[in-house]
Amino acid sequence: MLTRMQYDILQASGRSVAALLAEMQNEDELFSSANTLLRVEAFLLVIAQTLVHLPAPLRQRLVEVDWHGWECLQQLLEQDAQPRRAEVWYGTQALVPATLELIAKLRRQEPMWFEIGY
């Protein structure tokens, strides 16, 4: 059940990032909008923190996830380290979509990991 809740958190956070970026034309728009950037970074942190707490066997099945990239982004966001523009942009454009696709693929292949009663 925990894994299913984590999956739902990841999906909801990923959809929120996509929605916030939907109207933006480029990277500069995101970084010139302080409120949007703050919200995007908050969702990125939720995703990173949720990924850290996935069960080890599940993490091992997700070998294609850029775990190092997520770890670095999490540290930057938690420590409020600057500059982090490149890392945040990488998170929105590469980490989020790739990670969510890999987890969705695993869910289709091994649905028992994501069942409510598991």
Side-chain angles (χ1 to χ4, degrees):
M1 180 155 73
L2 176 61
T3 304
R4 173 58 187 266
M5 291 186 314
Q6 291 168 321
Y7 175 81
D8 290 343
I9 291 168
L10 293 170
Q11 291 297 316
S13 298
R15 282 191 302 272
S16 295
V17 168
L20 287 166
L21 298 176
E23 299 297 319
M24 298 196 168
Q25 301 298 314
N26 57 42
E27 177 180 354
D28 291 332
E29 278 191 62
L30 173 60
F31 292 96
S32 65
S33 174
N35 288 335
T36 302
L37 179 59
L38 185 66
R39 292 181 65 203
V40 165
E41 288 182 342
F43 285 118
L44 290 173
L45 185 56
V46 167
I47 294 170
Q49 291 171 337
T50 302
L51 288 169
V52 166
H53 295 288
L54 289 177
L58 185 60
R59 288 176 55 103
Q60 292 168 355
R61 284 178 171 75
L62 294 165
V63 295
E64 295 176 16
V65 170
D66 183 356
W67 296 109
H68 179 73
W70 278 113
E71 181 182 346
C72 291
L73 183 58
Q74 180 179 354
Q75 288 175 359
L76 288 171
L77 294 171
E78 286 178 342
Q79 297 168 6
D80 198 22
Q82 296 291 341
R84 61 180 179 233
R85 180 179 174 138
E87 292 84 355
V88 168
W89 188 247
Y90 175 68
T92 64
Q93 301 303 299
L95 288 176
V96 171
T99 301
L100 294 182
E101 178 55 36
L102 290 168
I103 291 173
K105 180 180 174 184
L106 181 62
R107 184 177 181 209
R108 289 188 300 272
Q109 293 171 344
E110 299 184 45
M112 74 273 184
W113 277 101
F114 303 94
E115 293 174 356
I116 295 294
Y118 182 73

